[in-house]
Amino acid sequence: DAGITQSPRHKVTETGTPVTLRCHQTENHRYMYWYRQDPGHGLRLIHYSYGVKDTDKGEVSDGYSVSRSKTEDFLLTLESATSSQTSVYFCAIRKGTGTEAFFGQGTRLTVV
Amino acid sequence: DAKTTQPTSMDCAEGRAANLPCNHSTISGNEYVYWYRQIHSQGPQYIIHGLKNNETNEMASLIITEDRKSSTLILPHATLRDTAVYYCIVRVARNEKLTFGTGTRLTIIP
């Protein structure tokens, strides 16, 4: 496995509460990504980062924020979780733009 | 990035070659074709990529047509462990974004 760890792996939270998911890498790769996956939609890009403190929006960024204060950590925050954010979240890393991506094992988030 | 079209699902008999097509008729000259797969709720896994020439690695072969408007991923001797969703992605190498479509669900039948 590429050195990617997502935490937590499973979480149940209540509507309206803040939630932070963590992606940690040991590869010193420049690029990090957050995706969500829902039935019938495949993988959809939420946010990505191309360096420390450098982030940009993906296809479905509304309701999410990210931070990258260190190369190894990329945090995804749901400021006020909603039931529509119940999903499986995947983190990915890439060394460079022309290289392959490596994915974490996913975080299953349930908002009740 | 160019749009891709893949069949929603396919079956293949175990031990046979699995051929997964991908149409990318709007591909431009500097866009690469990438393939990933996702095995049941795991994170996606990189398989192979190419620009113009056919490519082969330990997992698969990638055949790109001369006009580059379509490609085929070939798993030469499919096993039950190859059952997965396969994603074809077309993108410029320097593009920082990495976006996926809905892919092809390949089922290997014993």
Side-chain angles (χ1 to χ4, degrees):
Chain A
D1 289 341
I4 310 171
T5 304
Q6 290 187 230
S7 58
R9 293 292 312 279
H10 302 271
K11 185 171 182 67
V12 179
T13 192
E14 293 186 348
T15 299
T17 60
V19 176
T20 295
L21 309 183
R22 181 188 185 220
C23 179
H24 177 77
Q25 60 150 328
T26 58
E27 306 295 324
N28 200 36
H29 284 356
R30 178 181 176 189
Y31 296 92
M32 299 186 76
Y33 303 80
W34 276 108
Y35 294 86
R36 63 177 288 174
Q37 186 166 39
D38 307 290
H41 286 279
L43 282 153
R44 292 184 291 176
L45 181 64
I46 305 172
H47 281 280
Y48 65 100
S49 169
Y50 44 96
V52 173
K53 291 187 169 52
D54 290 324
T55 65
D56 206 346
K57 296 179 179 179
E59 311 162 79
V60 289
S61 59
D62 287 348
Y64 301 94
S65 63
V66 290
S67 66
R68 192 167 177 201
S69 59
K70 299 184 290 184
T71 299
E72 57 265 35
D73 288 324
F74 193 33
L75 304 181
L76 177 71
T77 297
L78 292 65
E79 300 291 347
S80 177
T82 68
S83 58
S84 65
Q85 293 176 311
T86 292
S87 188
V88 179
Y89 292 85
F90 287 100
C91 173
I93 63 174
R94 292 168 70 203
K95 185 175 182 179
T97 54
T99 61
E100 65 265 36
F102 298 96
F103 283 79
Q105 289 303 300
T107 294
R108 183 171 296 275
L109 176 67
T110 303
V111 183
V112 298
Chain B
D1 295 336
K3 181 179 169 58
T4 61
T5 303
Q6 298 178 253
T8 303
S9 63
M10 294 179 61
D11 294 338
C12 178
E14 186 179 16
R16 306 295 291 268
N19 296 279
L20 292 94
C22 181
N23 285 320
H24 31 79
S25 58
T26 61
I27 192 170
S28 59
N30 61 347
E31 288 183 307
Y32 287 74
V33 180
Y34 286 79
W35 284 85
Y36 286 78
R37 74 179 181 183
Q38 187 174 22
I39 297 173
H40 183 58
S41 75
Q42 297 179 18
Q45 175 190 26
Y46 166 81
I47 302 173
I48 198 168
H49 75 281
L51 181 63
K52 297 181 192 176
N53 300 323
N54 299 337
E55 302 288 344
T56 296
N57 63 20
E58 65 279 3
M59 290 181 67
S61 294
L62 174 60
I63 308 298
I64 303 174
T65 58
E66 193 169 341
D67 63 7
R68 302 186 69 239
K69 293 183 184 301
S70 65
S71 60
T72 301
L73 178 75
I74 301 172
L75 308 177
H77 304 287
T79 70
L80 298 179
R81 289 178 296 179
D82 292 321
T83 291
V85 176
Y86 288 77
Y87 298 96
C88 170
I89 301 165
V90 172
R91 51 183 297 282
V92 177
R94 61 176 170 74
N95 191 344
E96 295 167 333
K97 284 187 179 181
L98 183 62
T99 54
F100 289 74
T102 52
T104 296
R105 181 173 298 279
L106 175 67
T107 303
I108 306 301
I109 301 170

